[in-house]
């Protein structure tokens, strides 16, 4: 190792590892701040990682394509992380089985509400049809939302932005909202977080309580399936 303090930067700047390193370092710092503030919802590490990295890319004149070329390993890990949700689900399988009927009812109502509400508001605001369609699957995980958007002929880039914003906002407001409403059942709290704000809400639910995280993961998975069926139906019925 050389004594030059910039040697590491020079090395990383010439390899795709730079953006992976930046992503992990920024998230680790944001998560440490979140932990130091006792997981204050406003200190959501995903939210602050997004804007910090965005500013960094802007200041360095780096394109998203270049950034993603280096940081795509994080994207790859989304798959194994999703599969990993099966572990706490299996460990809490009796608790899950006992709540299957309320979950299915909440799933149908919540999924339909998430789709119809954003489409109605977007239509009322006079947004173009392709924007309305792009917003409709905002409450499911990004990969599924982009697939639905492409299938309907909408812009997947707008869908991704709406999906990330929905996840971040859900992660911020879910705990204060549940506390204000007096909802103490972590099964219900977690299910609502996962259904409304997919993986980001699920991560937040696991920070609060493991049972909440389990039910958030279930809601996230089931909502992806139901939304993929309901969005085309809603587009047919609601859009001119």
């Amino acid at each position: 190792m050389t004594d030059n303090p910039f040697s590491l930067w020079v090395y990383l700047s010439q390899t795709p590892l730079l953006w992976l390193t930046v992503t992990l370092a920024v998230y680790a710092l944001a998560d440490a701040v979140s932990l130091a503030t006792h997981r204050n919802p406003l200190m959501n590490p995903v939210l602050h990682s997004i804007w910090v990295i965005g500013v960094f890319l802007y200041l360095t004149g780096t394109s998203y394509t270049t950034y993603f070329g280096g940081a795509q390993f994080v994207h790859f890990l989304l798959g194994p992380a999703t599969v990993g949700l099966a572990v706490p689900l299996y460990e809490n399988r009796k608790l899950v089985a006992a709540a299957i009927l309320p979950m299915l009812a909440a799933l149908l109502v919540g999924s339909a509400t998430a789709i119809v509400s954003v489409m109605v508001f977007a239509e009322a605001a006079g947004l173009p049809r392709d924007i309305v369609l792009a917003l409709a699957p905002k409450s499911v995980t990004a990969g599924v939302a982009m697939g639905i958007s492409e299938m309907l002929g909408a812009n997947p880039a707008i869908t991704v932005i709406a999906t990330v914003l929905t996840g971040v906002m859900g992660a911020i407001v879910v705990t204060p909202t549940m506390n204000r409403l007096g909802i103490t059942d972590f099964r219900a709290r977690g299910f609502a977080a996962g259904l409304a704000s997919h993986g980001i809400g699920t991560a937040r639910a696991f920070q609060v309580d493991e049972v909440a995280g389990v039910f958030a993961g279930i809601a996230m998975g089931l909502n992806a399936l139901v939304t993929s069926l309901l969005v085309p139906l809603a587009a047919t019925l609601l859009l001119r």
Side-chain angles (χ1 to χ4, degrees), residues 22-177:
V22 168
T23 302
L24 296 178
V26 170
Y27 184 83
L29 179 61
D31 189 59
V33 173
S34 172
L35 187 60
T37 57
H38 306 287
R39 298 298 184 190
N40 186 307
L42 293 177
M43 300 309 297
N44 185 280
V46 176
L47 169 64
H48 294 290
S49 296
I50 290 173
W51 75 260
V52 170
I53 293 175
V55 169
F56 197 71
L57 295 180
Y58 176 77
L59 293 177
T60 58
T62 304
S63 69
Y64 176 75
T65 302
T66 301
Y67 166 76
F68 187 73
Q72 60 182 323
F73 184 64
V74 176
H75 178 75
F76 166 77
L77 289 178
L78 286 175
T82 303
V83 174
L85 292 174
V87 176
L89 172 60
Y90 177 77
E91 293 175 344
N92 292 275
R93 58 191 181 282
K94 293 182 179 178
L95 194 61
V96 172
I100 191 69
L101 291 179
M103 279 197 301
L104 291 177
L107 172 67
L108 293 176
V109 173
S111 183
T113 301
I115 296 167
V116 172
S117 61
V118 72
M119 293 181 72
V120 168
F121 280 121
E123 274 271 281
L127 296 180
R129 175 187 172 90
D130 60 332
I131 301 296
V132 177
L133 290 174
L135 296 177
K138 62 174 180 50
S139 291
V140 299
T141 191
V144 176
M146 290 176 64
I148 296 172
S149 182
E150 290 177 343
M151 179 184 67
L152 297 174
N155 188 338
I158 295 175
T159 302
V160 169
I161 295 172
T163 300
V164 172
L165 289 176
T166 299
V168 170
M169 290 303 298
I172 291 174
V173 305
V174 62
T175 298
T177 302

Side-chain angles (χ1 to χ4, degrees), residues 196-208:
S197 47
H198 50 83
I200 301 176
T202 299
R204 172 59 181 165
F206 269 111
Q207 289 178 343
V208 175

